[in-house]
Amino acid sequence: MAKAVKKVAKPRSAGWTGVYETLRHDILSLALAPGELLDEMSLSRRFGFSRSPIREALIRLSSDGLVVNLPNRTTIVAPVDIARFPQYVDALDLAQRINTRLAAELRTEQDLKDIEAAQQGFIAAVTSKDHLAMSEANKDFHMAIARAGRNAWFAAFYEKLLDEGRRILHLHFDYIEKTNDGRLLTDEHEEMIDAIRARDVARADRLAHAHSRQFRDRFLDFLRANYSSSIDLSAPMMSTARRKA
């Protein structure tokens, strides 16, 4: 049975784009939980639109990987696949390292200003404690680094991974806040900026790797603290296993 939803004011943006933006916000902020049913009729009542713009919004969300269309024409919020988290972190680590290395090697003074401005935006978001704003600002920071690296293919791969990990990042930020470890978020970025400023490619690489490793470790700590009874966390990360090989 479809979940009852309260009718709200129409989104500011007209038509399906407003529905898309609102649902995207709700999915990324976890207001709509992974696996939750998205019923076109209920959404039509919620937004006060016909089913056509609702359907268009769901198609766009599907292309973003945020919703899944099941064989019986049911649409649900895309699950967060914890079992594939080790593979995700491996890919993120590789993309983060190569884009940060290239930024340290190729950045211009304007690139550096753009990266520093993005970092100020991230600091403001951390101060606001708005987790969705934090994930958006975090992406802006890392994409400013990617643009400085001058490789559109690496940057596009990195952006896709950052987008796919935003719901995990939301949980990650919440856990860091509760454990009073929030300062590390901004400190790690500042160290990366210093390495890029100094054109120290090797240090930029090490810091980018440490940044993804810290993300991995904190998220695993979150899982252990909240879901240890139902999730097996004993298996080593793929990247860790390879380093020991």
Side-chain angles (χ1 to χ4, degrees):
M1 180 178 294
K3 181 178 179 180
V5 289
K6 183 171 65 175
K7 185 174 179 179
V8 296
K10 289 186 179 183
R12 292 181 181 178
S13 300
W16 71 268
T17 56
V19 177
Y20 163 78
E21 290 166 3
T22 302
L23 291 178
R24 181 176 181 274
H25 176 279
D26 289 351
I27 292 169
L28 291 175
S29 66
L30 299 175
L32 286 171
E36 188 165 336
L37 176 66
L38 297 175
D39 175 67
E40 288 183 13
M41 188 173 296
S42 297
L43 291 173
S44 180
R45 290 196 297 268
R46 174 185 174 185
F47 292 108
F49 286 127
S50 69
R51 294 175 70 173
S52 292
I54 301 297
R55 193 172 294 117
E56 288 294 327
L58 293 176
I59 289 171
R60 174 66 183 275
L61 290 166
S62 177
S63 70
D64 291 346
L66 293 176
V67 305
V68 175
N69 300 311
L70 301 180
N72 61 356
R73 294 190 176 183
T74 299
T75 301
I76 63 171
V77 177
V80 175
D81 191 351
I82 300 301
R84 295 180 62 192
F85 181 68
Q87 296 175 5
Y88 170 77
V89 173
D90 278 348
L92 179 67
D93 183 46
L94 178 62
Q96 191 150 272
R97 291 174 67 181
I98 195 164
N99 280 287
T100 308
R101 284 180 64 93
L102 287 171
E105 180 181 358
L106 302 173
R107 63 91 180 158
T108 64
E109 288 303 313
Q110 184 58 53
D111 290 329
L112 194 58
K113 290 178 182 178
D114 292 343
I115 295 168
E116 290 170 339
Q119 170 66 349
Q120 290 306 307
F122 181 70
I123 291 171
V126 171
T127 302
S128 76
K129 299 185 184 297
D130 181 336
H131 296 162
L132 191 59
M134 288 166 67
S135 70
E136 289 174 350
N138 181 73
K139 177 186 172 181
D140 290 344
F141 171 76
H142 287 289
M143 289 309 299
I145 290 175
R147 286 190 292 273
R150 302 288 187 278
N151 189 304
W153 286 271
F154 288 145
F157 176 53
Y158 194 24
E159 184 171 22
K160 177 177 174 59
L161 290 167
L162 290 170
D163 282 338
E164 289 186 2
R166 282 186 61 180
R167 287 185 294 169
I168 293 176
L169 201 61
H170 189 92
L171 296 171
H172 169 249
F173 287 151
D174 183 62
Y175 180 73
I176 288 176
E177 244 180 38
K178 290 176 179 176
T179 56
N180 299 313
D181 208 15
R183 66 175 184 80
L184 292 177
L185 292 168
T186 55
D187 289 353
E188 290 171 9
H189 283 187
E190 293 291 351
E191 290 176 358
M192 293 168 74
I193 293 173
D194 288 343
I196 293 169
R197 183 185 295 111
R199 301 187 187 277
D200 189 336
V201 174
R203 182 167 180 252
D205 186 4
R206 289 195 303 272
L207 289 169
H209 175 59
H211 196 51
S212 55
R213 185 175 57 198
Q214 288 275 22
F215 166 59
R216 176 202 68 188
D217 292 346
R218 291 176 191 140
F219 186 64
L220 288 178
D221 286 344
F222 163 79
L223 291 178
R224 291 187 182 99
N226 292 276
Y227 302 104
S228 58
S229 61
S230 58
I231 296 177
D232 181 11
L233 301 176
S234 60
M237 301 292 291
M238 290 175 62
S239 55
T240 303
R242 280 202 297 270
R243 285 196 297 272
K244 291 181 178 179

